[in-house]
């Protein structure tokens, strides 16, 4: 009887472990698909920058350095974005095949090992796209055109401001979820009441009915006083709550 129960518990544990691994694998596959879609958008923007009109209008003779920067950043954005699309698509195919034919655990370990590469290439593609957009603003300006240069500086400043704001929000989100993961915050209370912050707002202790009741008896013997009035109010609030 005990051996049968142990065997049943072991099978149940293995089944739940496999279910958890499948959910984790599906999470990484969805993340790869998200990177694939976003890198496709970056590829479209970079391909637009490599259009014949844009390359023809670049001031190669008057501003060769600015034109070279624009072309280089556009090439970096397109190359890394295409790499993300190709690698993520191939990785999803091989991981799904490995999970079906061999083991879900092996597939999960393989996709975890390659995720930093996908993430790094995607970040480089965004940097290249940002550099291409910024360098194009200055490449199309003449050397004596101060208004065009001021507009370019303003636009780049707005780009940097939005980037810093996004990084600030991402850091706040990361800090918040790390605090949830360490168990320093009540996620249940936050889900019930979004304005609830038990780690940020100190709360008053609930009144003790026995202590307050004794204070009321003493107040009746000695007459009304500020302390006795507060005791009666606390008792009334506790009974009402």
């Amino acid at each position: 009887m005990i051996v049968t129960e142990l065997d049943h518990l072991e099978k149940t544990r293995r089944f739940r472990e496999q279910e958890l691994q499948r959910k984790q694998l599906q999470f990484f596959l969805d993340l790869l698909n998200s990177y694939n879609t976003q890198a496709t958008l970056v590829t479209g923007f970079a391909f637009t920058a490599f259009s014949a009109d844009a390359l023809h209008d670049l001031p190669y003779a008057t501003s060769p350095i600015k034109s070279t920067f624009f072309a280089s950043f556009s090439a970096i954005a397109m190359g890394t974005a295409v790499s993300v699309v190709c690698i993520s698509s191939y990785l999803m195919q091989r991981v799904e095949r490995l999970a079906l034919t061999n083991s879900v655990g092996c597939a999960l370990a393989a996709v975890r090992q390659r995720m930093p590469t996908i993430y790094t290439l995607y970040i480089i593609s965004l940097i290249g796209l940002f550099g291409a957009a910024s360098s194009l603003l200055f490449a199309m300006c003449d050397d004596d055109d101060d208004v065009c240069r001021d507009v370019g500086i303003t636009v780049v400043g707005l780009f940097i401001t939005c980037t810093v704001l996004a990084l600030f929000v991402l850091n706040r989100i990361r800090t918040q979820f790390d605090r949830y993961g360490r168990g320093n915050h009540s996620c249940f209370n936050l889900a019930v009441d979004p304005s609830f912050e038990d780690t940020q707002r100190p709360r008053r202790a609930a009144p003790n009915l026995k202590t307050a009741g004794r204070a009321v008896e003493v107040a009746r013997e000695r007459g009304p006083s500020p302390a006795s009035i507060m005791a009666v109010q606390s008792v009334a609030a506790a009974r009402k709550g």
Side-chain angles (χ1 to χ4, degrees):
M1 185 65 181
I2 298 178
V3 176
T4 305
E5 290 293 334
L6 291 177
D7 184 63
H8 176 70
L9 291 175
E10 181 64 21
K11 290 181 179 179
T12 304
R13 185 189 66 80
R14 291 180 180 178
F15 176 76
R16 292 182 177 178
E17 183 178 354
Q18 291 179 357
E19 286 294 325
L20 179 60
Q21 290 180 351
R22 290 192 184 94
K23 291 181 180 180
Q24 292 176 348
L25 182 61
Q26 187 61 42
F27 167 77
F28 283 108
L29 290 176
D30 293 339
L31 188 60
L32 281 174
N33 191 22
S34 176
Y35 281 136
N36 192 308
T37 303
Q38 297 176 46
T40 303
L41 296 176
V42 176
T43 304
F45 290 127
F47 184 78
T48 304
F50 268 118
S51 62
D53 295 335
L55 295 178
H56 178 72
D57 294 335
L58 287 176
Y60 297 103
T62 58
S63 301
I65 298 178
K66 297 177 182 179
S67 303
T68 302
F69 269 109
F70 168 73
S72 301
F73 277 119
S74 300
I76 291 173
M78 176 177 287
T80 52
V82 171
S83 300
V84 170
V85 173
C86 296
I87 295 174
S88 60
S89 300
Y90 181 73
L91 184 60
M92 284 189 291
Q93 179 184 359
R94 292 304 301 266
V95 164
E96 290 178 351
R97 183 183 301 177
L98 183 63
L100 292 175
T101 59
N102 192 350
S103 172
V104 178
C106 293
L108 182 61
V111 72
R112 279 181 171 176
Q113 186 179 4
R114 298 301 177 184
M115 284 303 297
T117 304
I118 302 295
Y119 177 76
T120 303
L121 291 174
Y122 175 69
I123 294 299
I124 294 175
S125 68
L126 292 181
I127 295 174
L129 184 63
F130 176 81
S134 301
S135 59
L136 179 62
L137 294 171
F138 296 99
M140 302 306 295
C141 296
D142 297 332
D143 294 336
D144 55 349
D145 194 352
D146 295 334
V147 177
C148 181
R149 188 165 50 251
D150 293 339
V151 172
I153 294 174
T154 303
V155 173
V156 172
L158 292 175
F159 282 167
I160 296 176
T161 302
C162 294
T163 303
V164 171
L165 181 61
L167 292 176
F168 174 75
V169 174
L170 289 175
N171 184 60
R172 290 292 301 273
I173 294 174
R174 181 184 62 82
T175 305
Q176 181 184 16
F177 277 83
D178 289 344
R179 188 168 68 247
Y180 294 160
R182 292 191 298 267
N184 296 334
H185 196 282
S186 179
C187 299
F188 175 77
N189 292 328
L190 185 64
V192 175
D193 184 9
S195 62
F196 181 82
E197 290 287 345
D198 58 348
T199 59
Q200 302 293 333
R201 300 177 182 177
R203 294 181 174 271
R204 295 174 59 186
N208 192 336
L209 294 179
K210 293 183 178 180
T211 305
R214 293 175 182 174
V216 171
E217 294 178 356
V218 173
R220 289 176 179 174
E221 296 176 357
R222 298 182 179 180
S225 64
S228 62
I229 294 174
M230 292 179 62
V232 173
Q233 291 177 352
S234 62
V235 172
R239 291 178 178 176
K240 185 182 296 183

